[in-house]
Amino acid sequence: MNLLYLVWQYVKARPLNTVLNVVLLGLGIAVITIMLLANVQMQRKIEDNVRGIDLVIGAKGSPMQLILSSIFHVDVPTGNVKLRDAERFAHGPFVKQSIPLALGDNYQAFRIVGTNHQYPALYEASLSTGAWWHRNMEVAIGSAVAARTGLKPGDHFPSAHGLVPEGHQHAEQPYIVTGVMAATGSILDELILTNIESI
């Protein structure tokens, strides 16, 4: 007897088992393929967000919390660093570039980040409309922020203290949107950028 004849006899004798086995095999292959694709996408997203960042300096605390809050903006910041200490590291002989970050406020759960123009340049960001911030209380917003909030250049909005929308509102000093960044596929799409003094 040849092998094909035996296989055909098995399929005829147990059609339901055969169909079930084929379906389960197909589902197993599909799940593995999806997991591999998701892993590749996640690695690419992480690499895009850490591009050009070799060192993160922050307040004493959890290193993981520092990375998550400073690079991926998904955790609570570890605290403040004294300006003179930060400048000492920033002007060190082995430092090519340093980018300050000030965190702590939000608008509708989108984080407001105080920084300089080197931060969006790190991600090769450009503006789809408007201009970059130049004065206190001016902001450039990410593409996802603009899409979900409806903000556009010229609009004013109050910030909320902390990282949740229900925090204390700073209505007495509203921010003004000066520009909307083009989509980068990075964390910048979810951020509101301004200068350090505004934070």
Side-chain angles (χ1 to χ4, degrees), residues 114-149:
T115 187
N116 58 30
H117 292 116
Q118 292 173 325
Y119 189 59
L122 182 67
Y123 295 97
E124 299 172 359
S126 61
L127 293 169
S128 61
T129 58
W132 295 108
W133 71 93
H134 293 290
R135 293 190 293 268
N136 291 351
M137 306 312 287
E138 291 182 342
V139 299
I141 62 175
S143 59
V145 178
R148 287 193 222 140
T149 64

